[in-house]
Amino acid sequence: MATALLTLIGKPGCHLCDDARDLVDSVVTKLADDPSAPDIVLEERSILDDAELHALYVEDIPVLLLNGKVHNYWRIDPLRLRTALLAVQ
């Protein structure tokens, strides 16, 4: 079975990051029982803990990566995320 690695990049106290986390959690939870969905691993990284991430994304958080590639900045579209996850091979 395929695996999808979601990486949510943000920082503590960021309300858009909190909203993105809630939305991603919701999409992942809804896909948990879908046999066509890949295994989904979600990790969070803070720009405050990583100078490279800070330099890359300080103006763009939250940033959601899917298998290491940028999927979205700022606001996450749940349908687009679901579609992208279901397309992971």
Side-chain angles (χ1 to χ4, degrees):
M1 174 171 270
T3 299
L5 173 61
L6 290 174
T7 306
L8 183 59
I9 301 169
K11 69 177 184 177
C14 166
H15 74 280
L16 289 177
C17 301
D18 294 339
D19 292 346
R21 179 183 312 104
D22 292 344
L23 190 140
V24 169
D25 284 341
S26 175
V27 170
V28 169
T29 298
K30 289 176 183 173
L31 285 176
D33 295 326
D34 188 328
S36 64
D39 289 331
I40 301 170
V41 176
L42 175 61
E43 67 177 14
E44 288 193 53
R45 309 262 318 265
S46 173
I47 62 169
L48 301 181
D49 299 331
D50 186 315
E52 184 178 347
L53 291 178
H54 187 275
L56 287 171
Y57 300 121
V58 69
E59 297 295 325
D60 298 321
I61 61 169
V63 177
L64 183 65
L65 307 180
L66 173 56
N67 290 336
K69 296 182 181 174
V70 173
H71 174 74
N72 263 114
Y73 294 99
W74 302 307
R75 299 201 187 270
I76 311 301
D77 179 307
L79 181 57
R80 182 170 180 260
L81 176 57
R82 182 181 188 283
T83 301
L85 287 170
L86 290 174
V88 170
Q89 303 275 330

